Every structure is written in structure tokens, then in C-alpha cells.
């Protein structure tokens, strides 16, 4: 690859920004699915998560495009979309090539699109571009990127000509770079998954003896959620999310989780400063449950301090003996959170299709219990029989699930640009 020449180009000499295909309908008026179904297309918004995909909508008569790069001029973010999509065009543009030969390469070599996105996002990163102005500013057009090129003859399909020299994009070199990056990313990610799996295997080993002892003596008992938990909003602050100083990541100044109806990151949408109302209301060591119509029923255990700006309920355990037992072994909280989520959700979506209300109280979950004597530290009494939670069994089963989950991630992982 000694023939490769890195050449500098103004973005305005390479690309133009065009109006994207759009629904011309606000997201709240669309029926958006979490997963792709037949005859649905991706709906792209200005979000960075999930490659900008808000969800999937019926194709209908909406204009669409595929194999295209979108540009979010609010956050100076470029994303490549190989699949068919439409947008909610607020702050979004489509990047089009000014040179037909360059466009032909992008149309036929998707890895070149992905390479350009990496280069453009690096140029417009916070460290370089910073946020003193937006990507919609005039400075967008005068930014410069470096591209790997090859000098060719006039008779070849060249892209650029300068002082009698002809250049094209070094496509094979780009493919080599992308493949090397892909391999390194896969190795790094798989090592992380392997470390997670090993961590859970070590933890699970602590409960193996107790698991073998308890599994043959189990009694599975059904409990209404309303019998086990009190659901309230005592963790909610009055400040609106849009006016709060919320950081997307934990840092020295933002240490309190904001729990909302998010199904990702344990329900945490960001981090708030530990001051004012947040300091007065913050909680720790509770289950939370999303309460809105979309993700209502998704439950998490919060082992760090948190508050909520809405669409989330706090679950307090009614039976103090059960609470004391779970406080001593918090894996039980995580196990129960999974049971609640499985009971109230279809996949990752609320199966009631409405906000969680009295539906929660009447739902039933099965808990693995052990029959004990009256003299033991029992939790429940029923017709002269006494029961406690099979904590060792629960811990082993939950940790086994985490081991298997990480093994599946290892087996199936493939990095895709």
C-alpha cells in the first residue's frame, strides 16, 4: 500500500446536504414498533442510539431511501443506513456526493460509506469541532477531511484531477483498514464478554452447594404482586427533565441516576447533580418499574442512588421479613425483577398497551420457597405451614442465566459497521 496518498478535501467540494425523505408526521402520531416486521421500514430520528433508529413503521406511502448517510446538524453526527428508511426530518439531512464516480463507489461498497462516517464523525467530534456552534453553521462547509487515494491515468475511472494528475479512492486499502478494525473490535468485545461470564461463574460457585440442597425441596408458590409490593411515586422529583442539568454519563458532578421508562441501562436515562430536591428524595436499594404505555412493566433493581422525572414507579416490599432477606442477598431482587418483567411484558414491550395501573396488583408470579418450621425465621404462614424464600436456589439460577447470556453474546457476536 505504498502507493496510497492521503489527500485533503473540503467537505463542500465532496458533498452537499439534501432534504431527507420524511413522514411529515410527528413521532407521537405514528404507530412505532420495536422490532422490524413485514412491510415495515426503519424510522430515523436525530438520536444516536441504535444507529438513529427510533423503531419501525408501516411503509405506506411514505417516501424512503436506502444506502445513504444521514447528518444530524444539531449534534454534528453522521450515520450510515444500508437498509430502507424514512425520517422525522427535524435537524436531519442526507449527504449526497457531488462526484458521480465517488457516488458509484459508495453505492457498490458499503464499507466505504462506513469509513466516511468514521472520518466525518472524528472531524466533527467534541474534541475537534466542539459545541461552541452547531453543525448547521457555515463552518460545516469549510471543514477538511483526509482521504486515502491512488494516482491513476486519465483513461481510468478517476474521481479527481489536479494539475494533470488523476486520483481515485483507495478502495482496497479502505477495505483492509475496515477489516482490521472489525477484527480488533470483535476481539476486544469478546474479551469483555468472556470477563463478564467468568465473573458470574465465580459468583455462581458460591451458591452451588446450597442450590443442590434446596432444588429437591422446593415449593413453588404463587403471589399476587399487590400482595408483595406497594407501588408509588415517592422517588419522583418535580423538576422537568428538559430543564434539568442531566448528564448522559456518570461524572463527579452528576452522580444520581434518573430512572424513567427506558428499557436500557437499567432504566437510567442520565445522571443528575446530588443537590436540592434530588438530594432530599434520592433512594437506593429498591425495585423500579416503567409505568408508561410503551414499556410499562419492565422492572429493574437499583443498587445505586436514584430519583425519577416520571413514567416510573417505586416498588416497596410490604413484608419486612422478605425485605430483610433480600437486603442481605440482593441477587434475589434481580431475580424477582426478571420475573416481574416476564409477567408484564411481551418481549420488551408492555403487553397491556396502556399505563401500568391496577393490572400490576392482580398479576401473579411464582416464587421458589422452602417449607420450614414455626421456630425458623419464616416469611409466610399458610394453613399451619411455614415458608421462606429459597435464596440459594434463586441466586444460582439467576447467575446461571447471566453466564448463559454472556456465552450467547460470545457465540453470536459479529461487529457490524
Amino acid at each position: 500500500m505504498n502507493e496510497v496518498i492521503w489527500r485533503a478535501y473540503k467537505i463542500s467540494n465532496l458533498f452537499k446536504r439534501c432534504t431527507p425523505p420524511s413522514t411529515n408526521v410527528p413521532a407521537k402520531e405514528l404507530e412505532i414498533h420495536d422490532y422490524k416486521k413485514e412491510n415495515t421500514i426503519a424510522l430515523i430520528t436525530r438520536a444516536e442510539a441504535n444507529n438513529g433508529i427510533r423503531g419501525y413503521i408501516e411503509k405506506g406511502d411514505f417516501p424512503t431511501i436506502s444506502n445513504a448517510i444521514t447528518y444530524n446538524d444539531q449534534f454534528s453526527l453522521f450515520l450510515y443506513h444500508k437498509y430502507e428508511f424514512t425520517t422525522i426530518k427535524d435537524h436531519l439531512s442526507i449527504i449526497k456526493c457531488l462526484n458521480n464516480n465517488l457516488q458509484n463507489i459508495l453505492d457498490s461498497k458499503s464499507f466505504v460509506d462506513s469509513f466516511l462516517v468514521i472520518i466525518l464523525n472524528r472531524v466533527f467530534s467534541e474534541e475537534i469541532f466542539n459545541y461552541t456552534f452547531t453543525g448547521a453553521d457555515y463552518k460545516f462547509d469549510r471543514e477538511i477531511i483526509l482521504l486515502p487515494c491512488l494516482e491513476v491515468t486519465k483513461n481510468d475511472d478517476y474521481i479527481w484531477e489536479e494539475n494533470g494528475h488523476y486520483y481515485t479512492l483507495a478502495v482496497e486499502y479502505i477495505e483492509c483498514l475496515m477489516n482490521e478494525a472489525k477484527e480488533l473490535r470483535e476481539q476486544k468485545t469478546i474479551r469483555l464478554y468472556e470477563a463478564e461470564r467468568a465473573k458470574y461463574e465465580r459468583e455462581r460457585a458460591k451458591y452451588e452447594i446450597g442450590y443442590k440442597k434446596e432444588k429437591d425441596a422446593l415449593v413453588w408458590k404463587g403471589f399476587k404482586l399487590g400482595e408483595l409490593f406497594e407501588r408509588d411515586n415517592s422517588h419522583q422529583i418535580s423538576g422537568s427533565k428538559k430543564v434539568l442539568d442531566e448528564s448522559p454519563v456518570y461524572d463527579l458532578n452528576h452522580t444520581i441516576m434518573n430512572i424513567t421508562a427506558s428499557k436500557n441501562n437499567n432504566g437510567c436515562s442520565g445522571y443528575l447533580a446530588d443537590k436540592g430536591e434530588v438530594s432530599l428524595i434520592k433512594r437506593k436499594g429498591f425495585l423500579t418499574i416503567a409505568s408508561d404505555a410503551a414499556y410499562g412493566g419492565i422492572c429493574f433493581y437499583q443498587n445505586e442512588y436514584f430519583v425519577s422525572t416520571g413514567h416510573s414507579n417505586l416498588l416497596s416490599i410490604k413484608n419486612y421479613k422478605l425485605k430483610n432477606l433480600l437486603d442481605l442477598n440482593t441477587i434475589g431482587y434481580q431475580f424477582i425483577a426478571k420475573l416481574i418483567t416476564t409477567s408484564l411484558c411481551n418481549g420488551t414491550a408492555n403487553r397491556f398497551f396502556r399505563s401500568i395501573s391496577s393490572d400490576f396488583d392482580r398479576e401473579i408470579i411464582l416464587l421458589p420457597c422452602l417449607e420450614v418450621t414455626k421456630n425458623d425465621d419464616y416469611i409466610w404462614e399458610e394453613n399451619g405451614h411455614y415458608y421462606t424464600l429459597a435464596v440459594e436456589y434463586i441466586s444460582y439460577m439467576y447467575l446461571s442465566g447471566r453466564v448463559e447470556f454472556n456465552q450467547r453474546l460470545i457465540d453470536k457476536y459479529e461487529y457490524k459497521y
Side-chain angles (χ1 to χ4, degrees), residues 178-224:
M178 296 299 281
N179 286 337
E180 288 179 0
K182 179 177 185 292
E183 183 178 349
L184 290 172
R185 181 66 176 265
E186 288 178 345
Q187 291 174 357
K188 180 179 179 180
T189 304
I190 287 174
R191 284 198 298 269
L192 291 174
Y193 291 152
E194 288 174 340
E196 281 291 293
R197 181 193 62 192
K199 178 184 75 174
Y200 287 118
E201 285 177 335
R202 290 192 299 270
E203 188 70 14
R204 181 180 64 177
K206 301 175 184 178
Y207 300 99
E208 186 169 3
I209 294 176
Y211 162 77
K212 291 178 179 179
K213 180 180 179 181
E214 292 182 355
K215 69 175 183 177
D216 294 329
L218 287 181
V219 180
W220 287 89
K221 294 186 64 63
F223 298 90
K224 284 185 178 180

Side-chain angles (χ1 to χ4, degrees), residues 297-300 336-348:
I298 295 178
C299 185
F300 296 107
I336 291 174
K338 287 291 183 184
L339 290 182
I340 293 174
T341 301
T342 302
S343 177
L344 299 180
C345 295
N346 179 13
T348 58

Side-chain angles (χ1 to χ4, degrees), residues 13-214:
N13 292 334
L14 298 176
F15 306 109
K16 63 179 179 180
R17 288 174 288 169
C18 302
T19 302
S22 173
T23 62
N24 290 317
V25 177
K28 64 183 179 182
E29 297 180 16
L30 295 168
E31 184 179 356
I32 303 175
H33 307 283
D34 284 332
Y35 300 101
K36 183 169 177 54
K37 301 178 181 179
E38 189 176 359
N39 297 320
T40 62
I41 55 173
L43 178 66
I44 303 300
T45 66
R46 48 185 165 157
E48 180 178 0
N50 197 29
N51 210 51
I53 300 176
R54 168 66 178 80
Y56 298 88
I57 61 172
E58 298 294 330
K59 183 174 181 179
D61 296 325
F62 296 132
T64 65
I65 193 172
S66 58
N67 197 40
I69 295 173
T70 56
Y71 172 58
N72 173 351
D73 64 30
Q74 185 179 28
F75 302 118
S76 302
L77 176 70
F78 297 83
L79 296 171
Y80 171 59
H81 312 277
K82 189 173 182 179
Y83 39 81
E84 186 177 15
F85 69 93
T86 190
T87 73
I88 298 175
K89 66 181 179 182
D90 186 28
H91 288 285
L92 285 179
S93 303
I94 297 291
I95 300 299
K96 290 284 189 180
C97 286
L98 296 174
N99 185 290
N100 289 333
N101 285 344
L102 178 57
Q103 184 64 58
N104 290 337
I105 290 176
L106 296 181
D107 289 341
S108 60
K109 308 289 186 182
S110 61
F111 60 84
V112 178
D113 292 88
S114 299
F115 175 79
L116 281 174
V117 164
I118 293 172
I119 296 294
L120 289 167
N121 280 328
R122 179 58 184 164
V123 170
F124 287 85
S125 66
E126 183 178 0
E127 306 97 280
I128 298 174
F129 198 68
N130 73 54
Y131 293 129
T132 58
F133 50 84
T134 71
D137 194 281
Y138 72 94
K139 296 178 183 179
F140 172 90
D141 292 332
R142 75 183 193 191
E143 288 296 311
I144 293 173
I145 62 173
L146 293 174
L147 294 177
C149 300
L150 295 173
E151 187 170 357
V152 294
T153 68
K154 186 177 181 179
N155 296 326
D156 295 316
D157 283 334
Y158 67 91
I159 298 175
W160 302 282
E161 185 273 333
E162 184 179 334
N163 300 326
H165 295 269
Y166 303 89
Y167 303 95
T168 189
L169 208 58
V171 174
E172 292 183 2
Y173 176 70
I174 290 174
E175 184 175 22
C176 181
L177 288 178
M178 296 299 281
N179 286 337
E180 288 179 0
K182 179 177 185 292
E183 183 178 349
L184 290 172
R185 181 66 176 265
E186 288 178 345
Q187 291 174 357
K188 180 179 179 180
T189 304
I190 287 174
R191 284 198 298 269
L192 291 174
Y193 291 152
E194 288 174 340
E196 281 291 293
R197 181 193 62 192
K199 178 184 75 174
Y200 287 118
E201 285 177 335
R202 290 192 299 270
E203 188 70 14
R204 181 180 64 177
K206 301 175 184 178
Y207 300 99
E208 186 169 3
I209 294 176
Y211 162 77
K212 291 178 179 179
K213 180 180 179 181
E214 292 182 355

Side-chain angles (χ1 to χ4, degrees), residues 360-396:
F360 175 87
D361 293 335
R362 71 187 185 204
E363 284 297 307
I364 294 174
I365 60 171
L366 294 175
L367 293 179
C369 300
L370 296 172
E371 187 168 359
V372 293
T373 68
K374 185 177 181 180
N375 295 327
D376 293 317
D377 197 8
Y378 68 90
I379 299 175
W380 301 284
E381 186 272 333
E382 182 180 333
N383 299 325
H385 294 270
Y386 303 89
Y387 302 94
T388 189
L389 202 61
V391 177
E392 300 276 313
Y393 176 85
I394 282 175
S395 300
Y396 187 87

